[in-house]
Structure formats: structure tokens, C-alpha cells
Amino acid sequence: MPGTILPAVDGRTPSVLVTGATGNLGREVVDRLRTRDVRVRCLSRDQIDPRPGVESVRGDLTDPAVVRSALAGVDAVLLMWPLLDSAPARDLVAELAAAAPRVVYVSSTAIDDEVARQSDPIVQVHADMEALLNDAGLRPVVLRSDTLASNARGWAAQVKAGDVVAGPDIARTAVVDERDVADAAVAALLWDDDQREHGPHVLTGPEILSRADQVASLGAALGRSLLFDVVPADLARSRMLADGRPEHLVEALIAAPVRRPESNRITDHVERLTGRPPGTFRQWAVDHAAEFS
Ligand SMILES: NC(=O)c1ccc[n+]([C@@H]2O[C@H](COP(=O)([O-])OP(=O)(O)OC[C@H]3O[C@@H](n4cnc5c(N)ncnc54)[C@H](OP(=O)(O)O)[C@@H]3O)[C@@H](O)[C@H]2O)c1
């Protein structure tokens, strides 16, 4: 599958919109697309660092006018929906249906196709988004991503301050390097029409890891002995509320540790889409050690 290319439209260079472009995954996707023969447009609420060859649209995914202007002249969209509710996505889906670009949606491996209600609100949003996009006839390519290695950046302040990372535990899962998901996303965005496989593509890393495993790998990369200290969910909830985080966000963040089941699923889908096996979290930690010291 690697090496294919979105066809030129009416002789002009194809144009790709990346949502969530300032985030951990989005930045990697933009960096890769810049090296390909496409025009890149980014959408996020924050100012995007100006980069040659990258156009930026600043605004909210829930604002139909912003979405409409971001979609003008676009052939393919990498769609992320980082919100905790799918209801505000209806306007966005209507804009997508009107503009009819190729859609690649970043979803979650935690979706269980056999149940009506998903384990927690974050997974439910992704299941709802897949359904909304399909119901609108958009036939998205769905990339179901496992936990991104880049989530570990949330521990950087604690690692810099000491040898213990404290937080709620979460079920073990096949943590995937966001660079692999970005490579897969670029492949899916640029597939020729007849090569397009809608998936869902289940993008996992090569090992099932706990948070303690990840913290230990970070320690090994830094030449230090780091420990993960499990904070009970109730205590984590009250600390987050005391920090002033909105209640619905806190409940969603706590529901994942409490309710999401362990996953033992490792797939070859990263390799199928990118042509090479996924990287390990150990390697991610080595490559990003400077961010933790
Ligand atoms: N992290 C994971 O483990 C994981 C696993 C499976 C799936 N996913 C999905 O993958 C996507 C990327 O994850 P990530 O970890 O890279 O996220 P991230 O680092 O938190 O980045 C989120 C991006 O979305 C933008 N954004 C947030 N709210 C927005 C809004 N209302 N309107 C416009 N842009 C908005 C943010 O930019 P601004 O704040 O500047 O707007 C940022 O660019 C998310 O949709 C997530 O649901 C993540």
C-alpha cells in the first residue's frame, strides 16, 4: 500500500486539510504531508507556527462557517474529533457531505463493535462519529488508533521534578507510536481511489503495556529508575476538580481508567498501511528523552 498518491484533480495539485493540526498526532501528519506533492491546510483553534507550504485556518471545529472555509477546494481531510460529545459534529458532517472530500477519520481501537454502548464517553464519541460519517454517506477511511505514545508527554513535569509519576491507572493496551499513526494517515489520505480500503484499520503498537511499563521505559531511556504510583480514581477525580477542570471532562477522564477493559489485541495494520512494522514504546522514549529532562 505505501507509495501511492492522491490523484491530481483537473491538473491541479491536490489539497489536504488536517484538523487537530497543532496536536501530537496532527503535527506529525503535517510534517509528513509537507514533503509530498500536495497542498496542506491546517485547522485548529490556536495559532499554528507558520511553515513554508502550509496554509492555516484558525477556528473551532464546531463552527460551520470555519469548517466551510477550511474545506473550500480541499480533496482529502484528516478528521479528528477531540471533543467529548458528538452532537456538535452534526454541522461539521453536513459541511463535509456538501464538500464531499475524501475523509480519513482518527478513531479508537477501544471501540467494541458488538455492544450498543461503549465502555466510556471518549470511546462512545468515536463510535458515534464513525456512525455519523457513514450515515451521511461519506464512507470514511477509519483509522482506529490505540493509545498514542505521545500521551506520555503529560508526565514530563513529574519526571523532571522527581522519580515518581503519579496518576490513575488504566488497563494495559498496545500503545502505538503517533509517528506510525501519522504514516498510516498519510498513506490513507493519498491512496488512489481504487486502492482505498475503508477499514476500520486497527493501529496498534507491538507490545501490550501498562502505565508502569511505560514509565519504566522512560526511566531506562533517561538512565533513571522511575516508578508509577497508582492514584485511586476517586482521589484523582477530586484533585482534577480542585484544579478547576470542568466536571464533564473529569468524569470522562476518570471513566477510561475505571471502565475501559484490558486489550490483548496486536495487529499488523500499521505495517499493512506503512510497509514497516510499528515502533516500540522503548524507542519512542529514547527518541523523546530530551523532552523529559
Ligand atoms: N491520544 C490518544 O491516545 C488517542 C487514541 C485514539 C484516538 N485519538 C484521537 O486522535 C486525535 C488526536 O489525538 P492527540 O493526542 O494528538 O490530541 P491532542 O494532542 O490533544 O490534539 C488535539 C488537537 O485538536 C485541536 N482541537 C481541540 N479541540 C478543537 C476544536 N473544538 N476545534 C478545532 N480544533 C480543536 C487542538 O488544537 P487547538 O487546541 O489549538 O484547537 C489540537 O490540535 C483526537 O481526535 C483523539 O480523539 C487519540
Side-chain angles (χ1 to χ4, degrees), residues 19-27 43-48 59-63 79-83 105-110 122 125-126 143-151 176 178 181 260:
T19 62
T22 54
N24 288 307
L25 176 59
R27 286 197 304 264
L43 171 63
S44 72
R45 295 168 303 177
D46 277 350
Q47 188 67 47
I48 296 168
D60 202 295
L61 278 165
T62 59
D63 181 338
L79 180 63
M80 308 195 202
W81 186 257
L83 286 80
Y105 178 65
V106 183
S107 184
S108 168
T109 54
I122 293 172
V125 165
H126 287 301
L143 304 179
R144 289 185 179 171
S145 170
D146 212 302
T147 299
L148 296 176
S150 48
N151 290 357
V176 64
E178 69 283 359
V181 178
R260 201 173 293 179

Side-chain angles (χ1 to χ4, degrees), residues 1-189:
M1 224 26 113
T4 55
I5 186 75
L6 186 68
V9 183
D10 301 332
R12 67 176 168 79
T13 307
S15 179
V16 179
L17 174 67
V18 180
T19 62
T22 54
N24 288 307
L25 176 59
R27 286 197 304 264
E28 296 290 339
V29 173
V30 171
D31 284 347
R32 283 156 178 74
L33 285 173
R34 283 180 60 216
T35 68
R36 307 296 292 262
D37 193 17
V38 290
R39 294 169 53 190
V40 186
R41 187 179 293 163
C42 297
L43 171 63
S44 72
R45 295 168 303 177
D46 277 350
Q47 188 67 47
I48 296 168
D49 294 340
R51 280 183 271 186
V54 176
E55 186 189 349
S56 92
V57 174
R58 202 169 163 192
D60 202 295
L61 278 165
T62 59
D63 181 338
V66 166
V67 172
R68 194 173 313 140
S69 84
L71 284 171
V74 156
D75 303 294
V77 179
L78 181 65
L79 180 63
M80 308 195 202
W81 186 257
L83 286 80
L84 292 172
D85 181 4
S86 60
R90 290 185 183 281
D91 287 340
L92 169 135
V93 171
E95 295 297 335
L96 283 168
R102 168 179 305 187
V103 177
V104 177
Y105 178 65
V106 183
S107 184
S108 168
T109 54
I111 290 178
D112 180 347
D113 290 314
E114 305 303 317
V115 299
R117 295 304 297 169
Q118 301 298 324
S119 59
D120 59 82
I122 293 172
V123 184
Q124 186 63 51
V125 165
H126 287 301
D128 291 346
M129 287 299 295
E130 288 187 16
L132 274 175
L133 294 166
N134 279 312
D135 290 351
L138 283 156
R139 298 200 67 217
V141 173
V142 173
L143 304 179
R144 289 185 179 171
S145 170
D146 212 302
T147 299
L148 296 176
S150 48
N151 290 357
R153 289 191 169 119
W155 298 329
Q158 294 189 72
V159 173
K160 286 178 190 174
D163 292 332
V164 176
V165 172
D169 209 357
I170 193 162
R172 297 179 339 132
T173 194
V175 177
V176 64
D177 190 320
E178 69 283 359
R179 295 171 295 185
D180 292 329
V181 178
D183 283 340
V186 169
L189 285 163

Side-chain angles (χ1 to χ4, degrees), residues 266-282:
I266 291 174
T267 72
D268 64 355
H269 297 194
V270 164
E271 184 159 10
R272 271 201 237 162
L273 269 69
T274 69
R276 50 169 190 74
T280 61
F281 184 83
R282 283 190 307 283

